[in-house]
Amino acid sequence: MIRNTLGNEERKMFEILNESVAQKEKFRIAANKLLNQCFLLKRKEDTKKEYIFVREHKEFFVTYFDLLGYEIRVNEDQGVIALVGLFDTGRLHLNKSESILLLILRLLYVEKRKEISNSYEDVIVLMEEIREKYELLKLKAKPRMDKGMEQRMISLFKKYNLIKNLDSDVNQADTRVLIYPSVTMAVTVDDINAYYSMTEKKLREYAGDHSAEDEDVEE
């Protein structure tokens, strides 16, 4: 029944994949990583092969994920492939603290990237810098990050290939955090300067909003 509803392109895609067990397995691995992690990075060892495979067979993935209600977005300049839900499915719901921290990471990425002349150089910040940005907001509900909050932030955003801690103890002030370029694709913007202004504006809005920190925010 399903095959009868597929167009010529969809049927061709599945026929090609079924001809090669190896290709079918590579497709399965890449598709699952996109569904589970949202982003594939060219310069990240555990997603590099999948990034290349998706880029080389983009039409297959576009067709497949379109059937599921997703869109594939490729940014070759930054070496990032993103999976974006077209409807209200597959969205990550963040609480207030998590949303603020994601905005801070974006802001730090933009600031650091402007300071780096080599576009291939990694953007690395210290945990202390993240804390300082957070404390500037002077939130009444939670004016400072605690250890649990820092650990949850690293675990959550690391899972979605947005950051990576380069030191094991994430609660130390000098702990290094690598921020991946995928953080800039979390929200689509046309102009990096407009994005910078938008991030600052949102942070100011959060600073003036002292409602419960567990309020859900959809990203």
Side-chain angles (χ1 to χ4, degrees):
M1 292 297 294
I2 294 177
R3 284 186 175 275
N4 291 334
T5 65
L6 296 177
N8 291 332
E9 290 300 318
E10 287 88 348
R11 283 197 294 270
K12 181 181 178 182
M13 179 191 78
F14 288 115
E15 287 171 1
I16 292 174
L17 288 176
N18 281 327
E19 289 176 359
S20 170
V21 175
Q23 291 290 89
K24 189 174 182 179
E25 180 65 7
K26 289 179 181 178
F27 183 93
R28 184 191 67 78
I29 292 173
N32 274 296
K33 282 194 175 183
L34 277 170
L35 284 168
N36 293 325
Q37 301 174 5
C38 298
F39 299 99
L40 298 177
L41 302 165
K42 182 180 180 180
R43 298 182 62 202
K44 190 168 183 282
E45 282 303 314
D46 61 348
T47 63
K48 181 179 180 179
K49 289 190 298 184
E50 288 73 30
Y51 171 92
I52 294 172
F53 185 79
V54 173
R55 190 191 62 190
E56 292 178 348
H57 302 85
K58 182 182 174 182
E59 68 279 7
F60 289 177
F61 288 89
V62 168
T63 300
Y64 174 77
F65 281 113
D66 182 64
L67 294 172
L68 301 179
Y70 291 92
E71 179 184 357
I72 293 286
R73 294 179 186 170
V74 180
N75 187 324
E76 293 199 24
D77 291 335
Q78 295 188 345
V80 180
I81 294 176
L83 183 66
V84 181
L86 298 177
F87 305 103
D88 194 32
T89 57
R91 291 183 179 272
L92 176 63
H93 293 269
L94 305 178
N95 64 35
K96 180 62 67 65
S97 295
E98 292 165 346
S99 185
I100 290 172
L101 290 171
L102 181 56
L103 289 170
I104 288 173
L105 290 170
R106 291 170 177 165
L107 182 58
L108 284 169
Y109 182 89
V110 172
E111 290 179 350
K112 295 289 183 179
R113 177 53 66 195
K114 288 182 177 180
E115 298 172 2
I116 299 173
S117 58
N118 186 348
S119 61
Y120 289 97
E121 188 175 341
D122 290 332
V123 172
I124 298 174
V125 302
L126 300 179
M127 182 60 72
E128 183 177 22
E129 294 178 278
I130 300 173
R131 291 173 183 169
E132 289 174 353
K133 286 287 187 187
Y134 182 88
E135 290 172 10
L136 282 174
L137 299 177
K138 301 185 185 300
L139 298 174
K140 288 184 178 179
K142 202 173 192 65
R144 290 181 177 82
M145 299 172 65
D146 57 36
K147 290 185 177 182
M149 185 177 175
E150 292 172 355
Q151 292 166 0
R152 289 191 296 273
M153 174 195 70
I154 295 295
S155 178
L156 175 64
F157 296 137
K158 185 177 180 179
K159 175 182 178 183
Y160 293 103
N161 288 333
L162 295 170
I163 63 174
K164 177 184 178 181
N165 56 300
L166 301 180
D167 302 292
S168 58
D169 188 348
V170 300
N171 297 125
Q172 296 299 315
D174 60 353
T175 292
R176 296 165 300 156
V177 178
L178 189 160
I179 307 178
Y180 291 119
S182 49
V183 75
T184 64
M185 294 182 70
V187 170
T188 302
V189 289
D190 296 324
D191 181 79
I192 193 66
N193 292 324
Y195 166 75
Y196 188 92
S197 299
M198 176 192 70
T199 304
E200 285 194 319
K201 179 175 181 293
K202 285 191 175 184
L203 287 173
R204 287 196 299 270
E205 289 173 354
Y206 277 129
D209 181 359
H210 305 310
S211 57
E213 68 173 81
D214 287 331
E215 176 186 345
D216 280 343
V217 179
E218 192 175 89
E219 291 294 335

